[in-house]
Amino acid sequence: MSNTDSTPRIVVGVDGSPSSQAALRWAVGHARIAGGVVDAVCAWDLPGMQDWSAPPVDTDLDQENARKAFAAEMRDVLGEERTVEVREHVVRGNPAEVLLAAADGADVLVVGSRGRGGFARLLLGSVSQQCALHATCPVVIVRPDH
């Protein structure tokens, strides 16, 4: 997900939550102004995959489901006509780790304030917090549209 030329690269995390949809719109708007490209990243993983006692699962089916949901969200949020180049990436792994790796060398990392998981009482999601603490580029945290 690197960029070999001087075109600004904006990485955005997409997980289907209202704040990630707002983050995607923000990233595309910023790319339009900056003349950049957007790397939209959907990280997926299976619950319990780190544990040896996880039940057998069909990872190909789960990856295909993640790809379909990601493609549908991209269409719903951005439509068919794209005003900037948006490169779509579906990557298996811990969301914070995947986003931090994708943002290496980027101009900015954009994440929603709260994702699909976690607890409603938290003001900032764990992924956005990890990104803010550990990214090697500036991080923009976007609240959901109201």
Side-chain angles (χ1 to χ4, degrees):
M1 284 183 239
S2 65
N3 209 23
T4 56
D5 61 20
S6 62
T7 303
R9 187 169 68 90
I10 296 92
V11 175
V12 59
V14 179
D15 70 0
S17 67
S19 62
S20 89
Q21 293 170 357
L24 178 58
R25 285 188 288 274
W26 191 96
V28 168
H30 181 69
R32 189 179 311 112
I33 292 167
V37 299
V38 175
D39 281 323
V41 180
C42 172
W44 71 279
D45 209 353
L46 300 169
M49 282 304 287
Q50 306 305 323
D51 300 332
W52 64 269
S53 62
V57 294
D58 185 349
T59 57
D60 290 338
L61 178 63
D62 286 321
Q63 182 175 16
E64 184 58 29
N65 288 338
R67 286 187 192 286
K68 286 179 182 177
F70 180 58
E73 181 173 1
M74 296 298 288
R75 271 192 318 277
D76 291 347
V77 174
L78 300 179
E80 296 297 330
E81 297 294 320
R82 307 278 172 96
T83 58
V84 299
E85 180 182 1
V86 178
R87 301 180 293 205
E88 300 178 12
H89 308 276
V90 178
V91 181
R92 182 175 170 196
N94 174 282
E97 292 173 7
V98 167
L99 290 172
L100 290 168
D104 188 35
D107 291 87
V108 65
L109 170 60
V110 185
V111 294
S113 59
R114 288 192 2 88
R116 296 193 72 70
F119 300 94
R121 69 180 180 273
L122 296 178
L123 296 176
L124 188 64
S126 60
V127 173
S128 54
Q129 185 175 28
Q130 288 300 307
C131 289
L133 290 172
H134 300 289
T136 57
C137 64
V139 177
V140 174
I141 300 174
V142 180
R143 296 181 51 90
D145 299 331
H146 293 289

